[in-house]
Amino acid sequence: MRREMRAVLMGPPSAGKGTQAVRLAAEFGVPHISTGDMFRAAIAAGAELGRRAQGFIEAGKLVPDDVTLGIVCERLAEADAMSGFILDGFPRTVPQAEGLEDILRAQGVRLDAVVLIEVPEDVLVRRVTGRRVCEKCGRVYHMEWNPPPGSACECGGLVTQRKDDFPETVKERLATYRTQTEPLRDYYASEGSLVVVDGTGDPDEVFRRITRALGRCGS
Ligand code: AP5
Ligand code: MG
């Protein structure tokens, strides 16, 4: 399936946004743009952006809107994003959603869909606790149902736990989601682009639900 697709994946921590975004990006031939991944890459590189974001991320808080909007604005201006994108974890606040609308309006395009992946809190906690990520290629594993081959990834990179996946920070991230990101549900519902998808079940099943829903949206 190759056509223009401009979609946002929303959902609480560990809902499966990254897992599904990778697959959707491949399906539609558009880039996967994750603000969380961009911040982590900047931290690993010791870049100024990383220094500005690190404290917020490790406290389970949101990076300020102006910083986040700035990096998304630059990324969406790149050539590979012209025929679409899968945005993962952005926007997370109403001002970010408004900022995104401005960027897209200036490009003469609009979002096809905002997919909200819903997962009950007990399932989220199990997913987040078991998650491990390759420091080199970014591949995501889960210790129970998709374990890495050993302490290293297939690519040879070290597989570790994200610093913000420790229980205290996860609690804070969930609270941040409820207060700052959940209001976007009404925002996008009232403008007609919201699709709510059940994120439970195995990743293939969730992927089928999302692609079915996207098939009913957009161009
Ligand atoms: P970010 O990296 O976006 O974290 P998040 O939103 O908390 O989401 P996660 O990456 O934890 O989960 P996910 O939904 O991608 O799940 P995954 O597919 O990995 O952001 C990190 C931080 O950066 C934020 O807290 C904030 O500080 C900052 N930030 C980022 N964006 C920002 C913004 N816009 N504004 C301000 N600040 C921002 O899956 C999780 C686990 O479950 C994995 O192990 C996976 O293998 C497993 N899994 C996935 N799907 C399934 C399934 N269907 N069944 C079983 N297991 C599954
Ligand atoms: Mg993610």
Side-chain angles (χ1 to χ4, degrees), residues 18 88 131 162:
D88 157 8
R131 174 170 48 195
R162 265 171 49 177

Side-chain angles (χ1 to χ4, degrees), residues 14 17-19 35 40 61 92 96 131 141 145 173 201:
S14 254
K17 301 182 294 296
T19 302
T35 39
R40 281 185 289 277
K61 309 271 186 213
R92 282 191 210 232
Q96 288 182 17
R131 174 170 48 195
Y141 293 95
W145 44 78
R173 283 162 63 201

Side-chain angles (χ1 to χ4, degrees), residues 15-143:
K17 301 182 294 296
T19 302
Q20 297 301 328
V22 168
R23 293 167 176 232
L24 291 165
E27 176 81 7
F28 290 100
V30 296
H32 164 208
I33 301 177
S34 155
T35 39
D37 288 349
M38 289 161 90
F39 290 134
R40 281 185 289 277
I43 293 169
E48 171 59 22
L49 170 67
R51 279 192 287 278
R52 293 176 76 181
Q54 189 165 16
F56 294 102
I57 293 177
E58 288 176 7
K61 309 271 186 213
L62 294 186
V63 176
D65 286 338
D66 59 334
V67 177
T68 308
L69 265 165
I71 62 163
V72 172
C73 187
E74 278 179 24
R75 183 64 187 87
L76 291 182
E78 288 178 30
D80 67 337
M82 288 303 135
S83 59
F85 48 75
I86 306 294
L87 276 170
D88 157 8
F90 175 91
R92 282 191 210 232
T93 63
V94 171
Q96 288 182 17
E98 290 167 347
L100 175 61
E101 233 174 281
D102 292 342
I103 295 169
L104 297 182
R105 192 178 308 113
Q107 292 183 358
V109 295
R110 45 176 304 168
L111 283 178
D112 294 298
V114 175
V115 179
L116 170 60
I117 305 177
E118 278 198 322
V119 177
E121 201 152 312
D122 56 327
V123 180
L124 291 176
V125 170
R126 201 159 157 213
R127 286 187 186 176
V128 85
T129 329
R131 174 170 48 195
R132 299 293 182 276
V133 184
C134 172
E135 288 185 355
K136 192 171 162 200
C137 72
R139 182 163 168 177
V140 178
Y141 293 95
H142 192 282
M143 294 313 283

